[in-house]
């Protein structure tokens, strides 16, 4: 079984809809991250959390919110989706003792029409 | 503003030859650098890293070189194999914030037989 899982893997939605992307991990890591990847733009950090009570904005947090429901779960919400949020979204985790080595989930491909 | 730059979006190399992927950074506070590899439909996976106190780190066919004065690092793959065909991301640790990584835009490596 995968250590970092993301659901759904693919999602098509319409402008203005609320959508939630979920991430779960079995690695026991404290730190979790949400990134988006756009063609030619690499990976950009949306939000990160260093423990259950800690939430931090990344480079591109506008239009997104997150919830760290438990050590193993970190969800990303788009309150009102817009077409330029069409992208590939990745969740990642890392251990505090090995903070720079991040383990990524398989990604969620989101399309906003 | 892109703090980690990969100026070559693609690289094509014949099997058995050396692949050299380059990365430049602008933030002199970066002190730890990583390379990730990404196959289609998968999340990025950690490949190799280097601390700023070193100028070289080797792991099998993969070697990373760091030139701090030039703010430049490179990943050498020798010999290149078709299975190395993937997108390679350069990443740097963001100053004193452990676990906060800044990624380049990636280089698509194609190794042909």
């Amino acid at each position: 079984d995968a250590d970092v899982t993301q659901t759904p893997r693919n999602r098509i939605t319409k402008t203005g809809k609320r959508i939630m992307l979920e991430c779960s991990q079995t690695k026991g890591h404290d730190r979790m991250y949400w990134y988006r990847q756009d063609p030619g733009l690499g990976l950009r950090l949306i939000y990160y959390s260093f423990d259950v009570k800690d939430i931090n904005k990344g480079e591109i947090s506008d239009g997104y919110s997150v919830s760290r429901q438990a050590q193993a779960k970190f969800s990303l919400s788009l309150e009102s989706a817009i077409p330029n949020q069409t992208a590939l979204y990745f969740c990642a985790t890392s251990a505090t003792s090995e903070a720079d080595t991040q383990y990524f989930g398989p990604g969620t491909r989101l399309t906003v029409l | 503003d892109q703090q980690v730059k990969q100026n070559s979006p693609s690289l094509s190399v014949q099997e058995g030859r050396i692949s050299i992927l380059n990365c430049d950074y602008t933030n002199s506070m970066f002190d730890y650098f990583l390379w990730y590899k990404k196959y289609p439909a998968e999340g990025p996976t950690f490949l190799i890293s280097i601390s700023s106190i070193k100028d070289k780190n080797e792991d099998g066919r993969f070697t990373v070189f760091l030139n701090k004065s030039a703010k430049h690092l490179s990943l050498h793959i020798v010999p290149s194999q078709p299975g190395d065909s993937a997108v390679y991301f350069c990443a740097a640790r963001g100053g004193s914030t452990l676990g906060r990584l800044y990624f380049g835009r990636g280089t698509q490596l194609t190794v042909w037989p």
Side-chain angles (χ1 to χ4, degrees), chain A residues 9 31 33 35 37 40-43 45 48 50 57-59 88 90 94 99-102 104-106, chain B residues 2 32 34 36 38 41-46 49 87 89 93 97-106:
Chain A
R9 293 294 312 276
R31 300 181 176 209
Y33 312 80
Y35 291 89
Q37 183 190 6
L41 293 181
L43 293 162
L45 184 63
Y48 60 105
F50 283 176
K57 292 183 177 180
E59 304 165 64
L88 195 52
F90 290 102
S94 68
D100 304 301
T101 303
Q102 297 184 9
F104 284 79
Chain B
Q2 198 85 11
Y32 194 74
L34 307 91
Y36 282 78
K38 184 184 178 305
E42 296 182 11
T45 56
F46 169 74
S49 62
V87 176
F89 290 102
R93 177 163 71 187
T97 306
L98 294 178
R100 171 76 191 266
L101 295 179
Y102 291 85
F103 284 85
R105 297 184 176 186

Side-chain angles (χ1 to χ4, degrees), chain B:
Chain B
D1 187 28
Q2 198 85 11
Q3 298 188 59
V4 178
K5 300 179 182 179
Q6 294 177 257
N7 293 320
S8 298
S10 63
L11 176 67
S12 182
V13 173
Q14 187 175 24
E15 181 178 7
R17 303 269 188 163
I18 185 172
S19 295
I20 300 176
L21 295 93
N22 293 303
C23 179
D24 297 293
Y25 61 96
T26 58
N27 190 337
S28 58
M29 297 299 292
F30 289 156
D31 60 358
Y32 194 74
F33 304 89
L34 307 91
W35 285 93
Y36 282 78
K37 179 168 73 172
K38 184 184 178 305
Y39 292 117
E42 296 182 11
T45 56
F46 169 74
L47 184 60
I48 192 170
S49 62
I50 187 168
S51 165
S52 60
I53 62 174
K54 296 184 176 181
D55 55 17
K56 177 183 175 181
N57 189 28
E58 191 171 356
D59 183 2
R61 296 186 297 112
F62 302 90
T63 302
V64 57
F65 295 92
L66 175 63
N67 182 334
K68 282 184 61 179
S69 61
K71 295 190 178 69
H72 177 83
L73 63 155
S74 60
L75 175 68
H76 293 212
I77 306 173
V78 185
S80 300
Q81 300 174 354
D84 296 329
S85 296
V87 176
Y88 289 78
F89 290 102
C90 174
R93 177 163 71 187
S96 61
T97 306
L98 294 178
R100 171 76 191 266
L101 295 179
Y102 291 85
F103 284 85
R105 297 184 176 186
T107 297
Q108 171 70 57
L109 173 66
T110 302
V111 181
W112 48 281

Side-chain angles (χ1 to χ4, degrees), chain A residues 6-24:
Chain A
Q6 294 184 232
T7 55
R9 293 294 312 276
N10 288 282
R11 180 72 182 267
I12 300 174
T13 191
K14 294 183 178 180
T15 297
K17 294 292 187 180
R18 183 180 189 275
I19 185 166
M20 179 181 289
L21 308 183
E22 299 188 354
C23 177
S24 295

